[in-house]
Amino acid sequence: MTVIRVLLVDDDPLVRAGLSLMLGGADDIEIVGEAGDGGEVEALVDRSRPDVVLMDIRMPAVDGLTATERLRGRPDAPQVVLLTTFHADDQVLRALRAGAAGFVLKDTPPAEILHAVRKVAAGDPVLSPAITRQLMRHAAGTAADTRGARARERLAALAEREREVAVAVGRGLSNAEIAAELYMSVATVKAHVSRILSRLGLNNRVQVALLAYDAGLVDEESRGGH
């Protein structure tokens, strides 16, 4: 069994204690450190080498957004999942663009937080229906501006099959679902995703999804409930 190493970052010691108690009870998760501010994250990552950083988005000194941007700019950075109390927070978009793998609400049931940590550790993003709707509104509002044009230009650099995979990632499909829909093996999908990330200079699937949204290639109907 692979153990997922998790670093907890929240300025509220009660929240950290609750998360530590909840996550620490899982056989496949190990809490390797805790911090009360985003300014402590980089040093703790160097020391504890976590796979996932579960971090509050709002902290008084260095917030989770700034810490995420600093962390994801480093080589071999751990995955970052942000904690928030808001269902639709404008700052979430900035965090996702910085390379966060997703977010969970602080009132999320324990089992779902465990699932989110495991999912992110496996390389999949964590996006709730609420944040997906926010991305839809964002994309609809910016499809005609320079961001949309830039996104379409970047995606045009991909091969046709890679663009199809990128759009499927934007729809929230897993590798297995993409493989079934596009009639290819899961290994081939993984290879396409890796090439997409490399060619576009992106950190993770969430950023691929954001490009697809910005380019106007994902709509509500095409998501098919995902």
Side-chain angles (χ1 to χ4, degrees):
M1 179 179 62
T2 301
V3 175
I4 303 167
R5 298 168 61 82
V6 177
L7 172 65
L8 302 176
V9 186
D10 196 296
D11 61 313
D12 187 336
L14 290 178
V15 172
R16 294 201 309 273
L19 289 170
S20 181
L21 182 64
M22 176 185 64
L23 295 172
D27 292 338
D28 60 338
I29 293 178
E30 177 187 1
I31 305 301
V32 296
E34 297 183 18
D37 185 75
E40 305 170 46
V41 171
E42 290 187 272
L44 276 172
V45 165
D46 288 338
R47 188 158 64 245
S48 61
R49 298 294 177 184
D51 302 302
V52 177
V53 177
L54 190 58
M55 180 158 52
D56 190 10
I57 201 170
R58 295 178 183 272
M59 289 178 284
V62 177
D63 63 28
L65 297 172
T66 301
T68 298
E69 289 169 343
R70 292 175 181 174
L71 196 57
R72 292 302 299 174
R74 295 157 48 111
D76 300 320
Q79 298 292 344
V80 177
V81 178
L82 289 162
L83 293 163
T84 180
T85 55
F86 298 89
H87 284 266
D89 190 325
D90 290 341
Q91 292 178 313
V92 170
L93 276 171
R94 175 184 158 195
L96 296 178
R97 291 191 184 283
F103 84 106
V104 293
L105 299 171
K106 286 191 174 182
D107 60 359
T108 298
E112 292 184 24
I113 293 181
L114 283 168
H115 176 70
V117 169
R118 291 173 178 138
K119 189 174 181 181
V120 166
D124 294 321
V126 178
L127 292 176
S128 75
I131 196 61
T132 298
R133 286 191 294 272
Q134 185 185 5
L135 291 173
M136 291 288 189
R137 290 194 296 271
H138 167 78
T142 61
D145 69 4
T146 54
R147 176 177 286 166
R150 273 199 311 270
R152 290 188 289 273
E153 183 179 353
R154 292 183 71 185
L155 290 173
L158 301 176
E160 180 179 356
R161 205 58 163 162
E162 290 169 347
R163 283 197 299 276
E164 291 176 351
V165 171
V167 172
V169 168
R171 291 167 54 205
L173 301 186
S174 67
N175 286 342
E177 290 168 333
I178 295 172
E181 183 168 295
L182 298 182
Y183 303 102
M184 60 178 70
S185 70
V186 172
T188 300
V189 173
K190 289 181 178 178
H192 279 309
V193 172
S194 294
R195 282 197 295 272
I196 291 167
L197 294 174
S198 177
R199 285 191 180 191
L200 300 180
L202 302 176
N203 286 314
N204 57 37
R205 296 166 71 100
V206 175
Q207 292 176 321
V208 175
L210 286 170
L211 266 185
Y213 278 106
D214 283 345
L217 300 179
V218 182
D219 56 37
E220 194 72 50
E221 183 179 355
S222 75
R223 295 185 73 255
H226 287 276

